Amino acid sequence: MAFTLRVLFLLCGISGLFTGALSDDSKKDDNCCPKDWTRLNNHCYIVRSDPRDFADSEEVCQLTHGNLASVTSAVKNVVVYQLVLEQSLTDAWIGFHDALANGDFLWTDGSAPDAFTNFVGGAPADMGDCVIITTAGEWSDVACTEEHPYVCVTDACCH
C-alpha cells in the first residue's frame, strides 16, 4: 500500500512536468523527432511492440541511431512507463544490463549507472542479466534471451 501511494504521489507530482514535456509546445518543430516518436527535452522515445530478445532490441534501436532507453531519473521512468502503458503492453526492455559482470549494471548507450533505479523490491532479483520495465513502472531483471517489446531513445536534432 505504501508503495502504491508513493507511486501515485510521484505520478501526480510529475504529471505537470510530464504534460508540459509532451505538450504541443515541445513538438513545434516536426523535424525534432522522427515520425511517431515522443520528445522529452533533447531525446526522442518510441516503443516497439514487436517482441525481440535484448540484443536484437538494442540492434534495432541502433539502426535508428539510438539505443535501448536509459532511464536515469524518476521523470524518465514515468515517461517510459507511460509510453509502455499507452501501447497496452505489460513490459518492455530498457537498456540496463549486467551481462558483462554480474551485479555491475550498465546502460547500453555507455551512460554511467546513476543513483536512480526502480527495481521491484529495491534491488535486482538475480533472475537474469537484462532489465524490463513493467506496467507498474518498476524494473525486473530477466533472462536476456526472453522476447519483449522494447523502448528506443535517440537524440532530438533540435536541442
Side-chain angles (χ1 to χ4, degrees):
M1 179 71 173
F3 174 77
T4 304
L5 291 174
R6 194 174 93 223
V7 169
L8 181 60
F9 179 73
L10 176 65
L11 290 174
C12 290
I14 295 175
S15 66
L17 177 61
F18 180 65
T19 302
L22 300 179
S23 70
D24 288 337
D25 290 343
S26 67
K27 296 182 180 181
K28 284 182 182 174
D29 183 350
D30 290 336
N31 295 322
C32 284
C33 289
K35 186 178 185 320
D36 298 326
W37 291 58
T38 299
R39 182 172 167 210
L40 173 66
N41 300 325
N42 295 330
H43 294 97
C44 305
Y45 295 84
I46 193 165
V47 176
R48 301 286 188 195
S49 59
D50 56 315
R52 295 178 179 267
D53 66 28
F54 187 85
D56 285 347
S57 299
E58 174 64 14
E59 188 174 328
V60 171
C61 292
Q62 287 180 2
L63 290 172
T64 60
H65 306 288
N67 295 92
L68 284 170
S70 295
V71 184
T72 56
S73 70
V75 172
K76 288 180 183 177
N77 197 73
V78 170
V79 169
V80 170
Y81 160 72
Q82 187 63 38
L83 290 172
V84 171
L85 285 179
E86 286 174 3
Q87 295 290 320
S88 300
L89 300 171
T90 58
D91 54 50
W93 290 120
I94 57 175
F96 211 41
H97 68 93
D98 71 344
L100 301 178
N102 194 31
D104 229 358
F105 281 89
L106 305 167
W107 291 107
T108 57
D109 68 359
S111 299
D114 292 330
F116 179 80
T117 61
N118 201 31
F119 283 102
V120 174
D126 261 349
M127 299 300 291
D129 292 326
C130 298
V131 178
I132 57 172
I133 187 169
T134 69
T135 54
E138 295 177 305
W139 306 355
S140 292
D141 53 326
V142 299
C144 300
T145 55
E146 290 184 15
E147 292 189 351
H148 296 275
Y150 50 101
V151 183
C152 296
V153 64
T154 190
D155 289 334
C157 62
C158 57
H159 303 289

